Amino acid sequence: ACGSDQASPVPEENEAAAQEEAVESITWKFGHLANEDHLWHKTAERFGELVSEKTNEQIQIEIYPNNQLGGETDTINSIKAGTADLVISGETMANWSPKAALMAVPYAFRDEAHLVNVIEGEIGQGIEEEIIEKVGLTPLYYHTRAPRNLTSNSPISTPEDLAGFRMRVPNVPLFLSVWEEAGARPQVMDFNEVFTGLQQGVIDGQENPLDLIHSAGFAEVQDYVNETEHVYSWIYILVGNEQFEKLSDELKEAVMEAAEEAQVYGKELFDTEFSNYRDELIERGMTFNNDVDQDAFREAMLPAIQESLTEEQYSLYEQILEV
Ligand code: 2Q2
């Protein structure tokens, strides 16, 4: 209205108008490892819609599936550097936050109820707080995950079958230790490189829950799902602390509301989609090996758990077993 000869508005209105003009729209970049078919991506899309609705389009979320912003660890570093904003991550955060290692200790969680009790209880609270403090990211919502199973091209039923077995693990120090201890030859690799690694024979196998085995098309390059069920875990959707702290209280609340609704949406999706994965993997030619001696794997991994965990981590592990 500069230079107009109209009467100036009353000061309050003037201020409100100025504030409205000053409202910046924010675009967050959200990178994750799964592809467009995976329930994490579908839930991320729903979350993006909810955030946009609840913030009157002040916050927009651009989603980059398939590690398009880099692997999980790189994306976390990019968020800290301010070139990305959101990621999906879990036990990999143990590289910064010791407590995050407790998210995925082999054979620690009995079932989903046990998992949820820990996530929603004091231990989960402590893990979230340490992630905020030491990783520099704020958890918004989470997905509970199905147990991780080992895939391969010949059946693996006992730790003895792991001799010479070159397998990929995510960037999780404890995973390297336990699989080495059990007799395999594990190496760290980003998720988006696993398919090609299997196809070219750089690795003989990998381990993940059925949903990722399914969405990533591993049936094309792996024959067996060995029901080791060695790790039950959960995974967070996180935003950089700095990115989140920049928001007004109102926007923070809107993001948190959207996160809460997205979590419910994701859980429903998980419950409806999950039952199909097994049959579809069988249709695509995979054999489920249910002849796995889980106790033998548990025993084979235990010394590595005892050696790798610090005293504080080990005591938390024992507390988890008691929940
Ligand atoms: O195998 C993988 O890459 C995924 O299942 C997850 O990224 C893995 O569980 C951890 O890296 C989670 O932090």
Side-chain angles (χ1 to χ4, degrees):
C2 209
S4 104
D5 55 9
Q6 279 175 3
S8 304
V10 295
E12 289 94 317
E13 273 172 14
N14 210 355
E15 213 170 282
Q19 254 179 23
E20 206 151 297
E21 268 168 50
V23 165
E24 263 182 274
S25 72
I26 297 167
T27 302
W28 276 346
K29 289 190 168 139
F30 180 172
H32 68 81
L33 63 91
N35 70 12
E36 291 89 337
D37 294 330
H38 194 270
L39 67 104
W40 294 350
H41 183 74
K42 293 179 191 166
T43 307
E45 282 186 319
R46 182 72 196 122
F47 175 59
E49 284 164 18
L50 286 163
V51 165
S52 159
E53 270 169 35
K54 288 177 192 290
T55 64
N56 292 320
E57 296 180 1
Q58 269 187 71
I59 303 179
Q60 303 287 348
I61 298 183
E62 278 171 6
I63 307 167
Y64 298 81
N66 294 310
N67 277 347
Q68 282 166 23
L69 295 184
E72 193 176 329
T73 304
D74 285 346
T75 307
I76 292 173
N77 284 324
S78 298
I79 295 173
K80 290 151 79 75
T83 55
D85 306 289
L86 288 100
V87 69
I88 301 184
S89 187
E91 54 272 16
T92 287
M93 292 187 289
N95 292 302
W96 294 271
S97 156
K99 284 188 183 174
L102 277 303
M103 296 179 71
V105 178
Y107 300 106
F109 296 100
R110 294 178 298 274
D111 50 32
E112 198 179 328
H114 184 198
L115 199 59
V116 172
N117 283 339
V118 171
I119 304 170
E120 300 285 350
E122 233 173 86
I123 300 174
Q125 180 78 33
I127 292 173
E128 287 195 28
E129 279 164 13
E130 201 191 72
I131 287 171
I132 295 172
E133 185 198 327
K134 297 199 168 150
V135 192
L137 309 183
T138 302
L140 297 174
Y141 65 92
Y142 67 85
H143 291 282
T144 51
R145 307 183 70 181
R148 298 179 84 93
N149 284 316
L150 185 65
T151 66
S152 59
N153 284 324
S154 50
I156 295 176
S157 305
T158 68
E160 285 69 48
D161 299 332
L162 290 172
F165 186 71
R166 293 162 307 162
M167 60 181 285
R168 174 270 179 177
V169 290
N171 183 9
V172 179
L174 184 63
F175 285 7
L176 272 176
S177 323
V178 296
W179 285 107
E180 237 163 53
E181 184 80 44
R185 292 168 54 191
Q187 66 183 84
V188 169
M189 204 183 267
D190 280 332
F191 187 77
N192 59 312
E193 290 166 2
V194 178
F195 185 93
T196 314
L198 291 167
Q199 196 174 39
Q200 297 181 345
V202 177
I203 43 170
D204 305 312
Q206 66 83 45
E207 46 81 56
N208 252 303
L210 289 194
D211 45 76
L212 281 173
I213 295 171
H214 179 269
S215 67
F218 290 162
E220 282 177 47
V221 285
Q222 295 273 267
D223 295 333
Y224 290 90
V225 176
N226 305 284
E227 297 184 306
T228 47
E229 301 187 325
H230 52 280
V231 167
Y232 250 116
S233 187
W234 74 99
I235 199 150
Y236 289 112
I237 286 66
L238 310 107
V239 63
N241 289 353
E242 280 187 27
Q243 288 88 331
F244 191 65
E245 286 312 321
K246 255 187 222 157
L247 304 181
S248 66
D249 288 347
E250 211 179 316
L251 286 180
K252 277 183 192 159
E253 207 173 298
V255 169
M256 283 306 188
E257 251 182 53
E260 212 170 293
E261 288 176 33
Q263 183 164 314
V264 174
Y265 179 89
K267 174 69 179 131
E268 280 168 9
L269 210 54
F270 180 84
D271 289 343
T272 50
E273 285 196 355
F274 198 81
S275 53
N276 303 326
Y277 297 149
R278 190 189 163 96
D279 287 347
E280 285 175 21
L281 289 171
I282 291 171
E283 248 167 64
R284 294 182 199 169
M286 292 194 100
T287 301
F288 278 72
N289 171 21
N290 64 5
D291 208 19
V292 173
D293 187 349
Q294 292 189 4
D295 286 335
F297 281 96
R298 184 198 312 263
E299 274 163 40
M301 289 176 174
L302 197 57
I305 295 172
Q306 287 164 337
E307 273 163 42
S308 310
L309 298 188
T310 63
E311 225 170 283
E312 198 208 355
Q313 286 172 321
Y314 199 80
S315 115
L316 261 177
Y317 164 64
E318 289 181 311
Q319 285 173 46
I320 286 173
L321 298 179
E322 296 298 312
V323 171

